[in-house]
Amino acid sequence: MADLKLGKLPDRTPVKLTITITPDLQSSLQAYASVYEAAYGVEEPVIDLIPAMLTAFLESDRAFNQSRAAAARAVK
């Protein structure tokens, strides 16, 4: 097998997740979508913004990332 620089791609099969949110959160998400549209000139539905918002949140959470890295090291 060739020694490729690009490793095998991870599973990219979409996973559908259904949640229930409060009316206040729904209002905030709609407001965020409006601010996003004003900033970038592109209207994106809230449903398309949420995955990116969750990714950004998880990537910015230092304690979570440190814990996750420690767990990965412990498994090796």
Side-chain angles (χ1 to χ4, degrees):
M1 177 180 243
D3 188 20
L4 301 176
K5 285 191 176 229
L6 179 65
K8 184 176 178 189
L9 296 177
D11 183 6
R12 296 175 315 280
T13 306
V15 176
K16 184 172 183 158
L17 178 65
T18 304
I19 64 169
T20 303
I21 60 174
T22 64
D24 289 344
L25 180 54
Q26 173 63 15
S27 178
S28 293
L29 289 169
Q30 291 294 347
Y32 190 94
S34 295
V35 171
Y36 181 94
E37 181 179 5
Y40 297 110
V42 178
E43 182 180 355
E44 295 286 355
V46 168
I47 197 73
D48 291 341
L49 293 174
I50 290 173
M53 295 167 81
L54 289 172
T55 298
F57 173 81
L58 291 173
E59 288 175 350
S60 69
D61 189 320
R62 272 185 75 195
F64 169 70
N65 286 305
Q66 289 172 347
S67 176
R68 194 172 189 188
R73 284 190 301 273
V75 171
K76 290 183 181 180

